[in-house]
Amino acid sequence: MLARPRFGGVGTLAHPMNTRVDITAAIAQILAELGASEIDPAVEASAKPEFGDWSTPAALRAARVLRKPPIAIANEMCSLLAETDLDVVAKWTVSPPGYVNAHLADPVWVPAVIAAALALDPAIPLHTGARTPLRTLVEHTNTNPNKAAHIGHLRNACIGDSVARILRRIGGDVEVQNYIDDTGVQVADVTVGVRELGMAQQDGEPFDQYCSRVYVEVCRRYEDSPELLEKRRAVLHALEAGDNEMATFVKRLTSRIVDCHLATMARFDIGYDLLAWESDILHLGFWQRAFEQLSAAGAIVSVTAGKHAGCWVMPADSGDVEGDEAKVFIKSDGVATYTAKDTAYQLWKFGLLGKDFRYRTWPGVEGLTTTTSNDGDVDADARFGGARQVVNVIDSRQAYPQGIVKRALARLGHAEAAKRSIHLAYEVVALSPGAARELGIDTSNGGEKYALSGRTGIEVRADELLDRAIEHVRAKAATADDATVRCVAAGAVRYYLQRFTLTQIIAFDFDEALRTNGDSGVYLQYAHARAAGILRKVADDGGALSVPQSLEPVERALLHCLDAYRYALTDAAAQLAPSVLCNYTFTLAATLSDFYEHTPAMVREQDATVRRFRRHLVAATKATLADALHTLGIAAPDAF
RNA sequence: GCCCCUUUAGCUCAGCGGAUAGAGCACCCGCCUUCUAAGCGGUUGGUCGUAGGUUCGAUUCCUACAAGGGGCGCCA
């Protein structure tokens, strides 16, 4: 038998001790020695403190290959593990029906966990042991620039912003883009109302709300006056041509709305690196370039007969150009479809188009750049695009066209880019019956959810929701200053929109969204403020940390929670799922509250060792909470 | 017709091969002269949609079915 390697160690600040990895390696080696190397060590946090700190059901899994009872295998593993040189484990035990448990040596792992938490620094990427993400371009928000942003758009932005933060936190190079569809039907509708019908902005009416109102009104008038659709067609035609007075007018209008969107999102601490405009993609000839590539590769073909006669189509895998699987890229009138232009944009994102935008700084927002077709003022060193991985945060209803874009990349021979074209699909935000009633919708049909609709004005504006949350928080916050009230309210709203898994439709409910207790953003922030309060009250005596002889269960639970931060971040990054980090942060906050309630007030603690240890523990928890909250785009106030 | 998502406590949701299925809300009962009660503890509440299958082990994987939602445009 080979000499067993020495596992683990206390680690360094750059690469903190990773107890789970060390234990996993030890288990894996023992499994190999027993002739079950194919069995996954599967080390997980112990289900109950009585079992130990870390446990594995590997013996249960190995029973079949080793043809022995699980408990016998577990006992054998246990005695072999006892011989390994793993300082962090004090004792190995077995529990039915065949779990092997590691009990950690407190003087080894506890100081390491606290030191790692206290060393957290937003400016320094956290090495979780997972591979650093590829250079990633995240596109999110993408709200049509013809109306105020509503809670559906806000869910998109929250998910995208948090995904970007999560990837950056573990060292990822991430570029965030907001795509502006300024040449579409929705923009044309508002243009018809403002320019052709002369609908006026009311006194004191915010510009985006004004446009929302015009949009609803114009859509209503189409019903009575179908001839109005001709005006829309004219607007769209002018936008397609570009470089005319209409295009200039629309550019000014959409820019004003984009500024409103940026201001709304800024209230939630959501920002972007680049605004990418559809009109620039159009006028810089991105599609023509993509067309050359697609047609040369045979990815799209000209169809002369059948229902797609006169079109260019991307055939199904079977070669069929007529069925559901075939997708029109160029209509018979010669105009490219949205999906076609999106394919060109996706090629640009990967640096595969062979064409680039021109760039200009966006006035009024620090660090924000916009694409432009003509008067660029940002030098070529500021490079955008050229990503190795692209994450498009788009609701799940667009799965079909997103799949087409991915398929187009594959047909061009860009297998890697196709694989790394990720449609981060999330379900929409709808209204709960209660919220629907509050908006005056008839709910007598007994539906469980009611769809939002910007076109008919059935929506909850993001700004309006935040204003209501601010009033809610202000009513409860006796002493907090205005800035704190605002960030607590924004955090509450963000948490509500991020804590659901992406596959769940959110049945938006005012009571739930505005709640300030229980599993809410306010609870997380409150826990952080509490920790800060303790640190203010309990002086740091400057003494070195020493671990008490025996830890209270709540202390041990809190330490495990701190240690779990890196695993939560790793999971959240791997799944591109902010909800994973939300769950973790709630558990951390709850565990701190549990600790707070079940240990005597620290200010009166007479035992200097215990007081010092607990102060370190609270400081470490505060640092971890702050880091997790920041990664979720939620503020971590010290008091409120 | 085909494809995707959902179905877990009264309500809103986690969990997605392993040890007695967890939270929050609501309800009821307690706890503020002690570091923030926006908190904590306790009580009540579950044939994990149904039926098969795979497995030592299934809420978790597979198949079928049911209910609800979404998609399958020469819309964007």
Side-chain angles (χ1 to χ4, degrees), chain A residues 96-430:
Chain A
Y99 282 87
V100 175
N101 312 302
H103 301 254
L104 300 183
D106 293 344
V108 180
W109 79 286
V110 171
V113 165
I114 289 178
L118 291 175
L120 288 171
D121 179 345
I124 302 170
L126 188 56
H127 292 285
T128 62
R131 192 180 310 167
T132 302
L134 299 167
R135 174 174 158 68
T136 301
L137 195 159
V138 176
E139 177 193 290
H140 68 77
T141 307
N142 304 357
T143 310
N144 271 311
N146 74 318
K147 59 180 175 297
H150 63 53
I151 51 175
H153 305 121
L154 189 58
R155 182 183 196 187
N156 181 305
C158 287
I159 291 167
D161 185 66
S162 288
V163 163
R165 286 168 182 264
I166 288 163
L167 294 176
R168 281 175 174 155
R169 191 68 195 96
I170 63 172
D173 175 10
V174 179
E175 176 183 328
V176 176
Q177 298 194 0
N178 181 3
Y179 174 76
I180 315 293
D181 181 4
D182 60 330
T183 63
V185 174
Q186 295 196 14
V187 164
D189 290 335
V190 170
T191 305
V192 167
V194 170
R195 188 184 152 97
E196 309 299 321
L197 303 176
M199 296 177 184
Q201 188 172 5
Q202 294 167 355
D203 277 350
E205 185 179 34
F207 190 73
D208 56 348
Q209 286 184 47
Y210 158 56
C211 290
S212 290
R213 185 170 57 78
V214 168
Y215 180 46
V216 171
E217 178 61 17
V218 169
C219 287
R220 201 189 55 75
R221 289 206 198 174
Y222 287 150
E223 308 272 320
D224 307 334
S225 321
E227 70 276 8
L228 265 183
L229 290 169
E230 193 45 53
K231 292 192 184 296
R232 175 167 83 181
R233 263 189 292 276
V235 174
L236 286 170
H237 187 78
L239 291 178
E240 180 81 18
D243 198 23
N244 51 51
E245 193 270 334
M246 175 73 82
T248 305
F249 178 90
V250 170
K251 183 76 177 182
R252 204 163 49 232
L253 182 142
T254 51
S255 295
R256 286 187 69 182
I257 299 198
V258 166
D259 271 329
C260 292
H261 290 170
L262 293 172
T264 299
M265 296 309 168
R267 298 177 77 191
F268 294 96
D269 202 12
I270 294 168
Y272 314 87
D273 299 309
L274 182 70
L275 304 177
W277 295 71
E278 164 84 7
S279 55
D280 293 326
I281 289 171
L282 214 56
H283 300 138
L284 289 169
F286 276 31
W287 165 242
Q288 281 83 343
R289 182 63 62 90
F291 172 77
E292 289 162 17
Q293 295 181 18
L294 288 160
S295 56
I300 60 172
V301 295
S302 176
V303 178
T304 54
K307 72 170 185 176
H308 290 148
C311 300
W312 283 80
V313 169
M314 185 167 76
D317 290 334
S318 62
D320 175 41
V321 294
E322 289 212 358
D324 284 351
E325 298 295 305
K327 174 65 189 172
V328 171
F329 270 53
I330 301 182
K331 300 184 277 185
S332 55
D333 65 2
V335 177
T337 59
Y338 180 88
T339 302
K341 288 178 271 192
D342 213 21
T343 299
Y345 181 33
Q346 188 79 352
L347 284 166
W348 171 84
K349 287 177 176 176
F350 281 106
L352 296 170
L353 187 66
K355 242 184 180 320
D356 199 359
F357 292 103
R358 295 188 186 129
Y359 302 97
R360 198 158 59 71
T361 54
W362 183 264
V365 181
E366 179 76 27
L368 180 60
T369 302
T370 180
T371 62
T372 181
S373 314
N374 35 48
D375 52 344
D377 68 353
V378 172
D379 63 32
D381 289 344
R383 308 248 327 146
F384 295 95
R388 296 280 315 282
Q389 172 173 265
V390 171
V391 175
N392 294 325
V393 183
I394 302 176
D395 78 60
S396 63
R397 293 174 302 190
Q398 295 203 47
Y400 174 72
Q402 281 290 301
I404 297 290
V405 169
K406 194 182 176 94
R407 199 207 295 174
L409 263 59
R411 294 273 175 91
L412 284 171
H414 302 309
E416 192 70 9
K419 186 175 144 202
R420 302 202 187 288
S421 292
I422 299 167
H423 172 206
L424 191 63
Y426 65 95
E427 285 292 343
V428 295
V429 178

Side-chain angles (χ1 to χ4, degrees), chain A residues 469-503:
Chain A
I470 287 168
E471 290 319 308
H472 240 252
V473 171
R474 203 195 312 275
K476 290 205 163 196
T479 58
D481 58 282
D482 193 60
T484 302
V485 166
R486 285 169 177 277
C487 79
V488 168
V493 172
R494 266 195 85 144
Y495 184 77
Y496 176 70
L497 292 174
Q498 293 175 172
R499 55 176 271 250
F500 296 89
T501 53
L502 299 178
T503 52

